[in-house]
Amino acid sequence: MQKGLEEIKRNFKNPPREYGIYPILCGGIVQSSEKIEQYDRQGFAGVVGAVPYEKDFPYDEGEWDRTERAFRAYINKGMQTWIYDEDGYPSGTAGGVVIDEHPEYEAVGLYCYEYWRTLEGPMSYRADVPGDQLFKALLLPLSGGEAIDITDTLNEKNTLHFEIPSGAYHLFTMSIRRLFDGTHAAHSYAEPRNYINLLDADATGAFIKVTHENYARKLGDQFSKGVRAFFTDEPSLIAWNITAAVYPIVPWHKDFPANFQKKYGYPVELAVTAVVTKRGFKYKKRRCDFWEFVADTVANNYFGVIQDWCRAHNIPSSGHMLEEERLQTHVYDYGSLYKCAKRMDWPGIDELESEPLRLMDEKNIPIARLLASVADVHGCGESFTEFSDHFSRMENKQIGMNWIRSSVNWHFAMGINNMTTFYHFENFKDSEIRELNEYNARIGTLIRRGRRMSKVALLYPEAALWAAYTPTAEVRAMDNSEATLRISETFPKAAWELLHRQIDFDFIDEDLIRDGIIENGALRYKNSAYECLVFPAADVLSIGTVKKIKTMLDAEVGIILIGGIPKIARETGEEAGFYEMLSPYIGKPNFTVVPIESGWTLPGTSKLPALPRPVRIYPKDVRTVLTGAEGKVVIIDGEIISSSMLSHTRILDDGSLQVFLCNMGGSIYDGTLEVQDGKAAMTASPDNGKFAESSGKSEHGALKTAIKLRPYEACFYLIDMN
């Protein structure tokens, strides 16, 4: 049926150990070296470890010697390792050493103060300003127009004495201040710790010098062998407030004024004014300019510096970012999480939920699919998770092994294929843990065959979010404006709409659309071919992207615009005639505009003919998908939506397909798998490693195979297409 099937069966029955789970060792690998025999017995793939960060770190050579011996002890036992690059989190300070030795690298932000009172001129005026270092003081004309710079009126007592011209103004000041009070630096679970500025490549270099360089000196011969990757943990710009603040904050670095002026041709303070106050010339463009500038800078100066070092030393850079599940945080933590993720070889996530219903929460971005997409589209197809039952433990709940397996299934269905963990396994038998590792490794073995068959792409709408988001002094800097919430809520919902229909898709950005080639009814980029692109609440797009949309429509590529035709051009911040450009295509089968209104949903297949679904599942009847105490079921245009089921379809080198299905629901799923042009099917169970022939029949050019999955069960279906 499929090439090399007997070897595939052998590897599936007895999978490579490296595809099992990697416990994260708190307190350093040296203190946990006594667990080697236990972890070996339980079948773990290896461990994630670090130097113990003792008193004289990083200059205690004995500490590094003990760390080396501990890593090599695991490796010599046949287990692989990951290097965790920090003492606690967030990564970047090397346990505080970087800032202790280089205080100039400490993270700073611009604290933005807008005086509430309207100042009317002409008149003389004085004003004291917030403490720390004043960067700029501006008068913002309320009637419109450019800000007036009055910074040079500051005296030695930190007081402004200035003349107000005719008209009405607001006073707006920007002060440079150390980032600590109320930020992640003060609220980390690890310890209160001054943090580095991720916008500074020299700060990243100092971090690498005391961590990565020492590991390379001791373990470099095992890089990409016994040591699989470096793990960086929740680095962020921290220019935001966890608790309620006094003033909004934006990221800052001393080189911003010169570098921003060089790139965009105007002063950075005008962009900051647009970001915080929505005032000034073409303020939406300037908002986009600022956050794009921040994103490019942190992507290059932190993630890029680490990636370049890792590649030079033949080891992948990996790790996960902070609060991947909330779109707003992507802006103030990174400018763009997507841009930063592209600068990691193995991008990852932090999944603290383990209960199936919570993992399927439609309010959150399906982060596993987001970061796995980046790995699939821009990387080498390897991604990872730090997964655990943290939130359940905080509620004093003990998670059962069935839910742990369900979490494993969820990750693999989304595309994540390396598992590191903080699960507590002390309440399980060694045999149960070993079976879990074998289960994980079996899925990891098959899931790496071929490539994901994503024929649909979902835009990461960063320009629209840059234009909408306003930093606030609210808890977690949340912006509850209608414009920001519209994007923040539509983006994850659009992703879940596709997932609930078992449609394989990739998250993409506008760079991919620009660089992609339109050919044979698809947008092609590297190994991907997208027959349909979905734009969620993307009110702001570049002119080039909209022109490409028009060209794709002419080439019969499917386009779905959720929320309407875009209005604003990224380049100008103003309306650019996009409606006139695209409205003639309304009514054509490959163009759909979905209005955003209460309870909106994507139409059914009959009304979205351009949305490719070569693989479909549907239940035997409504009873198999009933959810909740009231027995709710979702039916769209006559189609019963299997919202508790996830799928992951891969196309193999010989053209056959491999479909991974998992049931995230608490009841048996009884239904049918339908594959266009399929000829025969075989199942592979990760529970026991067995393959079996699957009965199926061809109807109207499609293979229909019966599926029956118990709660939280998963199964592979290997489909012969020849």
Side-chain angles (χ1 to χ4, degrees):
M1 179 183 178
Q2 295 190 22
K3 187 177 180 181
L5 184 59
E6 291 308 312
E7 182 180 357
I8 292 169
K9 287 182 177 181
R10 286 194 298 272
N11 288 337
F12 189 63
K13 182 67 176 178
N14 299 293
R17 182 173 190 160
E18 67 185 274
Y19 296 148
I21 297 169
Y22 294 78
I24 300 171
L25 305 179
C26 297
I29 195 169
V30 174
Q31 290 91 324
S32 302
S33 57
E34 74 278 359
K35 293 186 176 181
I36 292 177
E37 297 300 329
Q38 174 189 339
Y39 286 152
D40 181 43
R41 187 171 62 251
Q42 293 171 337
F44 284 109
V47 296
V48 182
V51 64
Y53 292 90
E54 295 170 350
K55 181 179 179 181
D56 295 323
F57 173 86
Y59 304 110
D60 182 347
E61 191 62 23
E63 182 181 15
W64 286 107
D65 289 341
R66 292 189 295 275
T67 299
E68 178 188 7
R69 287 195 296 270
F71 270 97
R72 291 189 186 276
Y74 278 100
I75 294 168
N76 293 337
K77 198 70 173 176
M79 290 182 273
Q80 294 189 331
T81 62
W82 291 48
I83 295 175
Y84 186 84
D85 69 4
E86 187 53 83
D87 179 22
Y89 79 102
S91 290
T93 71
V97 169
V98 175
I99 299 301
D100 287 347
E101 298 187 355
H102 298 280
E104 69 274 19
Y105 296 151
E106 187 173 13
V108 296
L110 276 189
Y111 283 68
C112 300
Y113 165 59
E114 183 176 4
Y115 183 43
W116 61 271
R117 181 186 166 193
T118 298
L119 304 178
E120 296 191 31
M123 66 178 292
S124 297
Y125 202 76
R126 70 167 296 282
D128 293 321
V129 298
D132 302 311
Q133 179 187 348
L134 181 71
F135 168 60
K136 289 291 178 182
L138 306 175
L139 285 177
L140 309 181
L142 301 187
S143 60
E146 208 66 283
I148 300 172
D149 190 340
I150 57 170
T151 311
D152 61 0
T153 69
L154 187 73
N155 66 17
E156 67 281 359
K157 295 180 180 179
N158 217 35
T159 300
L160 296 165
H161 291 271
F162 54 95
E163 297 298 320
I164 301 175
S166 178
Y169 302 85
H170 268 195
L171 173 64
F172 183 61
T173 66
M174 296 164 252
S175 297
I176 302 169
R177 186 181 182 187
R178 162 190 174 230
L179 291 174
F180 188 84
D181 298 355
T183 73
H184 202 204
H187 287 267
S188 164
Y189 274 90
E191 65 184 24
R193 183 189 301 164
N194 292 328
Y195 194 55
I196 67 167
N197 197 331
L198 300 190
L199 300 161
D200 193 322
D202 290 338
T204 309
F207 172 54
I208 287 173
K209 183 178 180 181
V210 296
T211 52
H212 300 61
E213 291 285 358
N214 278 311
Y215 285 113
R217 183 168 55 86
K218 293 292 185 179
L219 296 164
D221 62 303
Q222 285 295 327
F223 280 5
S224 285
K225 298 174 185 176
V227 180
R228 297 195 74 198
F230 269 93
F231 180 139
T232 198
D233 194 10
E234 294 193 357
S236 77
L237 293 170
I238 70 167
W240 57 284
N241 46 288
I242 290 179
T243 57
V246 179
Y247 310 124
I249 315 167
V250 297
W252 189 250
H253 186 268
K254 59 182 175 59
D255 292 341
F256 268 23
N259 291 343
F260 188 92
Q261 178 82 43
K262 181 178 180 180
K263 183 172 183 178
Y264 295 100
Y266 66 93
V268 67
E269 58 266 26
L270 299 182
V272 173
T273 301
V275 165
V276 177
T277 73
K278 297 186 182 180
R279 293 195 180 91
F281 180 66
K282 295 185 177 180
Y283 82 87
K284 290 187 177 181
K285 171 194 181 302
R286 288 179 173 179
R287 286 179 156 215
C288 290
D289 289 347
F290 181 79
W291 291 118
E292 178 185 64
F293 178 73
V294 168
D296 288 340
T297 305
V298 70
N300 292 331
N301 290 357
Y302 183 78
F303 297 98
V305 170
I306 291 177
Q307 183 184 57
D308 290 345
W309 185 94
C310 286
R311 288 182 174 180
H313 290 79
N314 193 36
I315 187 170
S317 66
S318 186
H320 74 85
M321 289 175 265
L322 183 64
E323 287 197 281
E324 303 102 328
E325 65 275 8
R326 290 201 303 119
L327 196 59
Q328 287 191 38
T329 66
H330 297 189
V331 180
Y332 52 73
D333 270 339
Y334 306 101
S336 165
L337 183 142
Y338 198 98
K339 284 180 181 289
C340 292
K342 288 197 291 186
R343 295 306 307 269
M344 286 196 284
D345 296 313
W346 295 8
I349 65 169
D350 179 17
E351 182 49 71
L352 304 180
E353 292 284 10
S354 197
E355 301 182 26
L357 285 178
R358 292 180 178 180
L359 287 170
M360 300 293 283
D361 186 353
E362 297 180 28
K363 295 179 182 178
N364 291 331
I365 298 168
I367 57 177
R369 185 69 218 119
L370 174 58
L371 276 302
S373 286
V374 178
D376 291 342
V377 176
H378 303 284
C380 58
E382 295 290 327
S383 54
F384 97 103
T385 181
E386 173 193 320
F387 76 132
S388 75
D389 56 349
H390 172 77
F391 287 140
S392 296
R393 280 189 280 116
M394 292 299 100
E395 298 170 2
N396 201 31
K397 294 180 182 178
Q398 172 61 56
I399 295 299
M401 188 60 75
N402 59 340
W403 279 5
I404 295 177
R405 288 196 180 204
S406 182
S407 180
V408 167
N409 297 339
W410 181 87
H411 281 89
F412 279 117
M414 293 287 188
I416 297 292
N417 53 16
N418 290 281
M419 307 289 175
T420 71
T421 187
F422 269 121
Y423 273 112
H424 290 198
F425 290 105
E426 64 267 18
N427 292 321
F428 298 101
K429 298 176 182 178
D430 283 358
S431 59
E432 293 177 300
I433 300 170
R434 189 171 190 88
E435 288 173 359
L436 173 65
N437 276 297
E438 289 177 350
Y439 180 86
N440 195 96
R442 286 193 184 110
I443 301 176
T445 298
L446 277 193
I447 211 75
R448 286 174 166 82
R449 301 174 69 219
R451 58 180 175 80
R452 190 157 192 151
M453 195 175 69
S454 293
K455 296 189 175 186
V456 176
L458 178 66
L459 182 74
Y460 181 80
E462 57 190 10
L465 191 63
W466 289 338
Y469 173 72
T470 301
T472 74
E474 301 297 325
V475 172
R476 294 187 177 269
M478 284 291 290
D479 174 14
N480 292 310
S481 68
E482 181 180 352
T484 297
L485 291 180
R486 181 173 182 267
I487 303 164
S488 299
E489 294 170 0
T490 302
F491 179 61
K493 180 170 172 54
W496 283 106
E497 287 280 313
L498 297 174
L499 289 168
H500 287 332
R501 291 163 171 79
Q502 295 77 46
I503 295 173
D504 291 276
F505 71 95
D506 292 329
F507 289 94
I508 64 168
D509 60 3
E510 286 194 67
D511 290 345
L512 185 150
I513 295 174
R514 179 198 64 209
D515 296 336
I517 298 172
I518 301 171
E519 185 178 80
N520 298 327
L523 178 69
R524 297 182 179 273
Y525 179 82
K526 295 183 178 179
N527 295 322
S528 302
Y530 303 113
E531 297 174 9
C532 182
L533 282 74
V534 183
F535 295 78
D539 293 337
V540 182
L541 289 174
S542 71
I543 296 170
T545 295
V546 178
K547 288 182 177 179
K548 200 74 169 275
I549 289 174
K550 183 178 185 300
T551 306
M552 285 190 285
L553 287 169
D554 289 333
E556 298 186 351
V557 178
I559 299 294
I560 300 174
L561 303 179
I562 301 175
I565 292 175
K567 296 179 180 179
I568 305 298
R570 156 68 184 91
E571 295 88 343
T572 65
E574 298 176 338
E575 294 191 14
F578 292 160
Y579 184 83
E580 289 75 13
M581 192 183 302
L582 298 180
S583 60
Y585 295 90
I586 294 175
K588 293 195 174 183
N590 64 322
F591 187 48
T592 303
V593 179
V594 179
I596 295 175
E597 51 194 18
S598 179
W600 74 270
T601 187
L602 287 180
T605 304
S606 62
K607 295 183 179 179
L608 282 178
L611 188 65
R613 293 180 69 182
V615 174
R616 293 183 58 206
I617 69 167
Y618 45 87
K620 186 175 182 180
D621 54 48
V622 296
R623 289 174 295 180
T624 200
V625 293
L626 291 176
T627 60
E630 299 177 3
K632 296 178 181 177
V633 66
V634 178
I635 300 176
I636 299 175
D637 295 339
E639 178 185 1
I640 303 172
I641 302 300
S642 302
S643 55
S644 67
M645 296 289 292
L646 293 174
S647 71
H648 178 163
T649 300
R650 302 185 73 83
I651 184 168
L652 309 184
D653 293 340
D654 62 2
S656 59
L657 299 184
Q658 177 177 283
V659 183
F660 178 70
L661 293 179
C662 67
N663 180 6
M664 297 297 296
S667 59
I668 293 174
Y669 185 88
D670 190 354
T672 301
L673 169 66
E674 180 181 300
V675 181
Q676 287 296 320
D677 302 320
K679 306 302 180 186
M682 179 179 290
T683 63
S685 171
D687 282 326
N688 55 29
K690 293 182 179 179
F691 280 66
E693 297 293 333
S694 179
S695 60
K697 59 181 180 179
S698 293
E699 292 183 8
H700 308 294
L703 176 69
K704 295 185 177 181
T705 302
I707 55 176
K708 194 168 188 176
L709 294 176
R710 299 186 304 273
Y712 319 126
E713 186 182 15
C715 188
F716 284 95
Y717 295 81
L718 283 66
I719 311 297
D720 187 358
M721 305 295 288
N722 300 312

